[in-house]
Amino acid sequence: MRPLIAGNWKMHGDMSWVDKPGAFAELLPAAEREHLDVLICPPSLFIAPMAASCHEGNILLGAQNCHDAESGAHTGEVSAEMVKSAGADYVIVGHSERRAGGETNADVAAKAIAAAKQGVTPIICVGESLDIRKADEAEAVVSAQIKASVPEGLTDYVLAYEPIWAIGTGMTATAEDIKAMHAMIRDIVGPNVRILYGGSVKPANAKEILGTDNVNGALIGGASLEMESLAAIARAA
Ligand code: 13P
């Protein structure tokens, strides 16, 4: 399966960052990464001004969230249609940092449907807390999250497994844990859905993580902010 290396910039950067895709394409030209997809998900404001350089550099563009409604009185929100018309083809939904703010599985599923309707591929995020992992309930919780967050009948989506305790902490799940979790996820999502791992993916651990069975790419926070480290991770794929 074609790997997907996805950077999630979260709430970092300023308008000068719209030049980063150009820098990435210089570091790792498209001809050297024909076997994989590279995606950057910047803050929504940067999507439109990044669209041309991403297109030129053969880099995909995504949003970090969208609303489930087509339009309406939702101050501060962006719709899937806006995401699409700004130039993005992917949207992250259900990131744990948003679930922590109250987003439920049902909300995530509604956002995924709204995205798919616009031809935007949702990257549906799941993952357990440290307490759940310690209680040996990680697989049960993640399985329940997937069943409730992936809309019935949706086929074009990406599933991202991000253990909450590994995000931004420098801790990563062991290769065995990732292998076991991704095998379970594969059973649920079927053979055609890309499954990403996320949580402190860095150039130093990328090769091992990306070489694990049923890991079809990575969702990268901190290490995606510098194009050198994003390129090093992409080289490992
Ligand atoms: P870090 O790579 O900074 O741990 O973040 C992972 C993440 O949350 C990507 O969505």
Side-chain angles (χ1 to χ4, degrees):
M1 204 176 287
R2 200 176 159 79
L4 174 61
I5 298 300
N8 173 9
W9 283 359
K10 306 191 179 181
M11 198 174 72
H12 292 287
D14 59 33
M15 225 24 116
S16 71
W17 284 38
V18 306
D19 296 333
K20 287 192 180 237
F24 180 90
E26 273 182 29
L27 284 166
L28 186 60
E32 290 172 33
R33 51 179 155 88
E34 279 173 344
H35 63 293
L36 60 94
D37 291 328
V38 173
L39 166 71
I40 297 179
C41 300
S44 299
L45 280 173
F46 305 170
I47 293 173
M50 279 172 63
S53 64
C54 279
H55 186 73
E56 227 168 81
N58 212 359
I59 295 165
L60 299 164
L61 196 47
Q64 299 172 13
N65 178 45
C66 68
H67 200 276
D68 61 288
E70 283 183 14
S71 63
H74 304 290
T75 302
E77 297 283 347
V78 296
S79 70
E81 187 182 5
M82 293 169 189
V83 165
K84 181 75 180 180
S85 68
D89 292 314
Y90 287 79
V91 62
I92 298 170
V93 293
H95 192 282
S96 61
E97 288 153 15
R98 298 197 56 86
R99 288 180 184 264
E103 211 164 284
T104 64
N105 288 324
D107 296 332
V108 176
K111 288 174 181 218
I113 291 170
K117 249 192 205 164
Q118 297 297 330
V120 176
T121 303
I123 300 176
I124 300 172
C125 300
V126 296
E128 82 286 356
S129 66
L130 191 54
D131 284 349
I132 288 169
R133 175 150 292 267
K134 282 183 176 158
D136 219 8
E137 286 168 3
E139 292 200 5
V141 164
V142 168
S143 151
Q145 275 181 330
I146 295 171
K147 285 170 186 155
S149 301
V150 177
E152 187 97 32
L154 186 70
T155 53
D156 183 17
Y157 67 99
V158 176
L159 200 289
Y161 167 60
E162 299 202 299
I164 296 168
W165 49 270
I167 296 176
T169 59
M171 289 161 63
T172 47
T174 64
E176 270 134 70
D177 287 343
I178 296 174
K179 191 174 167 188
M181 184 61 84
H182 280 235
M184 184 214 74
I185 295 171
R186 175 65 66 211
D187 281 345
I188 303 173
V189 302
N192 300 322
V193 170
R194 289 192 279 194
I195 308 172
L196 310 185
Y197 171 81
S200 297
V201 176
K202 308 258 183 287
N205 59 23
K207 199 143 198 104
E208 185 184 19
I209 291 171
L210 293 167
T212 305
D213 289 351
N214 290 307
V215 174
N216 309 118
L219 186 54
I220 306 140
S224 76
L225 305 180
E226 297 293 341
M227 294 304 97
E228 287 79 6
S229 51
L230 187 61
I233 293 168
R235 268 193 208 98

